[in-house]
Amino acid sequence: MRAQRPTHLSAAIDAVVEKLPLPNKHFDAAMTTFSVHQWNDLAAGLAEMRRVTRGPVVILTADPALVQRFWLNDYAPGVLAAEARRYPAISRVAGLLGGHVEILKVPIPLHCRDGFNEAYYGRPERLLEDGARRACSAWSFVDPDTTLGYVSHLRRDLESGAWDRRHKALRAQPAFDGSLRLIVSILES
């Protein structure tokens, strides 16, 4: 099973991202969060962001090279593999934006309220909840039977204490350096 946007919605979103109805240098700054992996034409979308922005362009995304180093990969490798495949390489995004580019780590707080896999780095029980998994679209790329197997494996390790034997320190770790990255591009004058 593969979750996809409806074709008409996908075309409408891509038409807006790839041809923004705004004049050149209209904004002081522009930002997008967790969207570039859903664009059909990354180069066109980033070029449009750059065209309508006179100042910094900021992209919050995940580094696909880091997604699978998270402990969840031991339990749900298909989910994290799907997630890693979806995100463009940080170097590609940076290259397309041009200018002076800075790539910043975004630490995830222990009690992060957003619903994505790494937000539960120290609260693994949350990933046993259907709603928590549904909040992260990567789970929709894995068939339901496989998902049940992944969840059962995690549940067994939580009940037996195996998860805590390997990762207990994460339960008290104030922040986690996962795959989140902030790409900041400023055109050089």
Side-chain angles (χ1 to χ4, degrees):
M1 175 187 301
R2 181 176 167 89
Q4 295 182 358
R5 293 182 290 191
T7 304
H8 66 284
L9 179 59
S10 183
I13 290 170
D14 292 331
V16 170
V17 169
E18 295 164 13
K19 183 133 179 70
L20 297 171
L22 300 162
N24 292 348
K25 310 288 185 215
H26 186 71
F27 295 107
D28 290 333
M31 180 175 189
T32 185
T33 62
F34 296 108
S35 72
V36 295
H37 64 285
Q38 297 179 21
W39 299 356
N40 282 336
D41 189 338
L42 180 65
L46 293 175
E48 277 298 277
M49 283 185 76
R50 174 55 66 211
R51 180 186 67 77
V52 301
T53 308
R54 59 184 159 271
V57 172
V58 180
I59 311 289
L60 178 62
T61 190
D63 184 338
L66 302 176
V67 168
Q68 292 173 286
R69 73 176 189 157
F70 180 47
W71 63 256
L72 185 59
N73 199 54
D74 295 339
Y75 296 93
V79 171
L80 295 189
E83 191 162 84
R85 281 192 305 271
R86 295 175 68 207
Y87 285 100
I90 297 294
S91 60
R92 180 165 184 238
V93 175
L96 289 168
L97 285 171
H100 173 75
V101 177
E102 193 171 353
I103 299 165
L104 305 168
K105 295 177 181 181
V106 179
I108 303 161
L110 179 59
H111 295 288
C112 182
R113 292 179 181 229
D114 203 342
F116 61 99
N117 288 321
E118 290 176 339
Y120 306 120
Y121 74 88
R123 300 171 292 151
E125 293 81 5
R126 291 295 312 275
L127 288 168
L128 300 177
E129 300 170 17
D130 290 337
R133 290 190 312 278
R134 278 196 302 270
C136 182
S137 62
W139 286 88
S140 68
F141 290 87
V142 177
D143 69 75
D145 289 337
T146 301
T147 295
L148 284 175
Y150 291 164
V151 172
S152 294
H153 181 193
L154 178 57
R155 184 183 317 279
R156 281 190 311 274
D157 276 11
L158 287 168
E159 289 172 354
S160 73
W163 188 93
D164 280 293
R165 283 190 291 281
R166 287 190 299 275
H167 307 291
K168 184 178 182 176
L170 293 174
R171 292 190 182 276
Q173 185 173 302
F176 178 70
D177 174 22
S179 65
L180 298 188
R181 294 297 181 265
L182 196 65
I183 304 169
V184 181
S185 168
I186 301 172
L187 285 181
E188 298 161 352
S189 304

